[in-house]
Amino acid sequence: MEKDRDAEGGIYSADSRIDRDIDANISRVKALFADWGDIVERRFTVRRTGLDVYAEDSVGSADETSASVGAIYVVYIDGLCDNGLIEDTIIKPVTWEWRHEHGGSLWEAMDSFETQSADIKAENDFKNVMFSILKGDTAVFVSDADQAFVVSSKKLPVRGVEESSTEGGMRGPRDSFNESIRTSTALIRRRIKDTRLKLIQNTIGVRSRTEYGIMYIEDIAEKRLVEQVKERMNEYEIDAIFDSGMAEHLMEKKWYRPFPVFQSTTRPDKAAAALADGRVVIVFDNSPEVLIAPATINTLFQTADDYYNRWPVATFARIIRYIAAFIAVGLPGFYIAVTCYHREVIPDKLLYAIAVARNQLSFPIVLEVLIMELLFELLREAGIRLPSQLGNTIGVVGGLIVGQAAVEAGIVSTIVVIVVALTAIASFAIPNEAFASVFRLLKFLTILAAAFFGLYGFLLVMLLLIYHLAGLNSFGVPYMAPVVTCGYAEDGMEDFVLRKPIKKFVFRPAWANHRERRRLRKK
């Protein structure tokens, strides 16, 4: 793979050494950034002025009493960095405000006296210098030096810290992650002021060089979990990663399983709470969502509001979500099973109402349900792709108009419209979008099984679903925890469907370091 990349040219084929001849370095930089309209590069001659360089018989202007001590070459990408910062901290001090003799070389003088920036480092690898430029930093080459300065001057075009549009709530903070990895890590550190909160940074993607950070609390997270996350991040080599979702798919051990083994969130308070529970958070540049590992069904049904509201309210909300999950995956199939195969279980009055509603219809019940389900999925997809102002209108008005028109045209019955609408509403009650999408897909499997085998097919799909979930795990943690045994049910029931008061949250979940399981003590 390395040979293939070297043959392609670019940074990978460049010599790693920085030449002492600044003209040679300039030629290499110009060759690499040829046809880059947004590259800014400039060479400056550095002169030292003052009495110490005057000749005994020198008379004349300052220009005549100055001595050239070398040159610097500044390179950065316009739009990715703060050029004003570079002018004030590097160019102006070195080329204009230089007044004193420091002794030594130009490099030593700049390193010790002249540069006015704290976030500056020396780099002797040419490839690393080029990658720093691509990330938004500024490179400063100095004559007669086999190193270059890398100044942190990033000023990337990113959104500000806004309220989350995907994970709303009635209580709690309103800030959310944005596409800047440094903003995301800062929002987490704002909440956890502990020196044991570690951040391991690296890059992924041969072309994109996407930065990511693995965050964990050193004494709470299991070392084995942290090592597993590191191994999975380094397991594959890929051209580019543009979002956390792409990295999530790479880290999954069994790609054909539909349920997510990572929890994604845009809320910093949710990520901070996961870290305090002993989990690992993976932050990606260019992505407003972070990944949390491990993930279980229980954590995917939880929201941040659950811990800010009173425990009876939070418990009731969780019960509603679990019921909504069953409705989202099973209601259409159950309706088909009882109306087609098991009419005896339906009360007489309801059965008569269904028969009257279907009196003028020409399609079978299965086709009715499939038509309406596909119609609602179409409206949902259209609402996502359209601008926000039009998306809400399409979702509400389109559903009402098309549903009413379909009933009046004799294509579907009113009962089917109610069933499909209730199923769609239930799917939106599931807090995690990736998790809810799986239930929407399994819904069609339930419909087909019920259409062929009635309640037997419906129950068979439910049993297979439970069997599949029981066999899943996320980084060694059972997906059905804390329902399962193996130690994961211990101390986990206080934060399950029944969310007990905060005073009862004495121990962390079983995946945390066993030496730091206790998290609540009375003074």
Side-chain angles (χ1 to χ4, degrees):
M1 186 70 182
E2 189 69 34
K3 291 181 180 179
D4 293 340
R5 284 197 251 115
D6 288 345
E8 293 172 1
I11 294 175
Y12 289 102
S13 61
D15 189 352
S16 291
R17 296 169 299 176
I18 295 178
D19 203 304
R20 285 185 172 275
D21 184 3
I22 192 171
D23 292 321
N25 294 325
I26 293 174
S27 300
R28 294 165 67 188
V29 172
K30 287 181 177 292
L32 284 173
F33 292 106
D35 298 328
W36 276 55
D38 54 353
I39 195 72
V40 177
E41 42 94 19
R42 179 75 184 275
R43 174 175 177 160
F44 296 90
T45 300
V46 179
R47 294 182 179 275
R48 184 177 293 120
T49 60
L51 296 174
D52 55 330
V53 297
Y54 284 179
E56 291 184 3
D57 57 348
S58 61
V59 178
S61 63
D63 291 336
E64 294 173 340
T65 60
S66 63
S68 175
V69 294
I72 63 172
Y73 179 62
V74 179
V75 189
Y76 62 86
I77 298 176
D78 190 21
L80 295 185
C81 77
D82 186 355
N83 53 2
L85 173 70
I86 299 303
E87 292 175 2
D88 292 338
T89 60
I90 299 293
I91 299 175
K92 189 176 179 181
V94 173
T95 64
W96 179 252
E97 296 177 351
W98 190 307
R99 287 293 181 270
H100 303 287
E101 176 68 44
H102 303 299
S105 65
L106 174 59
W107 173 273
E108 293 172 348
M110 290 180 61
D111 189 28
S112 303
F113 299 98
E114 295 300 335
T115 53
Q116 300 176 6
S117 175
D119 199 350
I120 184 172
K121 66 177 182 179
E123 180 63 66
N124 56 13
D125 190 295
F126 186 80
K127 294 178 183 178
N128 292 340
V129 174
M130 294 300 101
F131 284 132
S132 298
I133 295 173
L134 294 174
K135 290 189 295 184
D137 292 332
T138 298
V140 182
F141 293 90
V142 182
S143 58
D144 297 325
D146 57 358
Q147 300 180 80
F149 289 113
V150 175
V151 186
S152 180
S153 57
K154 298 182 186 70
K155 191 178 180 182
L156 305 176
V158 295
R159 294 181 300 129
V161 178
E162 303 170 354
E163 184 175 352
S164 175
S165 59
T166 57
E167 295 179 79
M170 299 300 293
R171 294 192 66 176
R174 302 299 184 191
D175 53 352
S176 66
F177 296 120
N178 64 12
E179 288 77 10
S180 170
I181 184 175
R182 194 53 63 235
T183 301
S184 298
T185 56
L187 288 171
I188 294 176
R189 288 201 181 275
R190 179 184 178 184
R191 287 164 169 82
I192 302 180
K193 302 174 181 67
D194 190 346
T195 57
R196 288 164 291 190
L197 174 58
K198 304 301 180 181
L199 171 62
I200 302 173
Q201 252 184 247
N202 208 335
T203 58
I204 185 172
V206 174
R207 304 287 181 179
S208 63
R209 303 289 294 182
T210 304
E211 290 185 88
Y212 71 88
I214 300 174
M215 302 189 74
Y216 63 96
I217 300 180
E218 188 176 28
D219 58 330
I220 299 178
E222 280 281 5
K223 291 184 178 180
R224 181 181 60 183
L225 172 62
V226 177
E227 291 302 320
Q228 282 183 323
V229 173
K230 290 180 186 176
E231 289 174 6
R232 293 201 189 181
M233 285 297 299
N234 297 322
E235 190 172 359
Y236 293 98
E237 188 176 76
I238 189 172
D239 272 356
I241 290 289
F242 300 115
D243 185 76
S244 59
M246 298 177 67
E248 178 183 356
H249 301 157
L250 280 181
M251 288 189 286
E252 289 177 345
K253 284 294 184 181
K254 298 181 179 180
W255 57 267
Y256 50 85
R257 290 182 171 176
F259 287 94
V261 295
F262 292 88
Q263 182 181 4
S264 61
T265 182
T266 59
R267 295 190 57 154
D269 55 336
K270 204 168 182 178
L275 288 167
D277 279 345
R279 296 202 276 170
V280 175
V281 172
I282 313 172
V283 188
F284 290 85
D285 199 21
N286 304 320
S287 177
E289 289 188 340
V290 304
L291 301 179
I292 303 174
T296 65
I297 279 187
N298 186 31
T299 60
L300 292 171
F301 274 115
Q302 294 172 359
T303 65
D305 278 12
D306 293 348
Y307 303 95
Y308 307 143
N309 291 320
R310 300 285 298 170
W311 69 269
V313 178
T315 298
F316 179 72
R318 288 189 181 179
I319 293 172
I320 292 295
R321 290 184 208 124
Y322 278 92
I323 295 174
F326 177 78
I327 292 174
V329 73
L331 182 59
F334 182 78
Y335 172 76
I336 291 172
V338 297
T339 53
C340 293
Y341 292 92
H342 307 278
R343 296 186 181 92
E344 65 276 7
V345 302
I346 305 176
D348 293 340
K349 289 185 178 180
L350 180 58
L351 183 61
Y352 178 75
I354 293 174
V356 171
R358 289 189 43 80
N359 189 32
Q360 301 297 325
L361 301 182
S362 55
F363 293 113
I365 293 177
V366 178
L367 193 55
E368 273 187 81
V369 173
L370 286 175
I371 289 173
M372 287 305 298
E373 286 290 352
L374 292 173
L375 176 61
F376 268 84
E377 291 296 328
L378 179 63
L379 288 171
R380 175 184 170 276
E381 189 68 17
I384 294 174
R385 304 304 162 205
L386 286 171
S388 57
Q389 295 85 351
L390 295 176
N392 296 331
T393 305
I394 289 294
V396 176
V397 178
L400 291 174
I401 292 177
V402 175
Q404 183 65 28
V407 171
E408 293 180 356
I411 299 175
V412 297
S413 64
T414 53
I415 300 293
V416 169
V417 173
I418 293 172
V419 169
V420 172
L422 184 58
T423 304
I425 293 171
S427 67
F428 293 129
I430 301 173
N432 188 280
E433 174 59 26
F435 195 48
S437 299
V438 179
F439 285 98
R440 285 201 298 268
L441 289 176
L442 292 177
K443 165 183 62 182
F444 291 99
L445 179 61
T446 308
I447 290 172
L448 295 176
F452 284 105
F453 304 107
L455 278 177
Y456 300 105
F458 173 80
L459 293 175
L460 179 62
V461 171
M462 293 293 107
L463 290 173
L464 288 175
L465 177 59
I466 295 173
Y467 175 78
H468 177 72
L469 290 172
L472 290 178
N473 71 81
S474 175
F475 292 90
V477 177
Y479 209 62
M480 295 284 283
V483 176
V484 298
T485 54
C486 303
Y488 287 94
E490 180 186 358
D491 306 320
M493 288 299 178
E494 69 266 13
D495 194 20
F496 190 39
V497 180
L498 173 63
R499 203 229 80 185
K500 295 182 181 180
I502 297 296
K503 290 182 179 180
K504 300 294 183 180
F505 283 25
V506 179
F507 297 99
R508 293 186 176 91
W511 53 68
N513 190 333
H514 66 278
R515 293 198 243 354
E516 295 291 335
R517 290 288 305 282
R518 194 175 189 91
R519 61 179 167 189
L520 180 64
R521 295 177 178 84
K522 191 171 183 178
K523 292 184 178 180

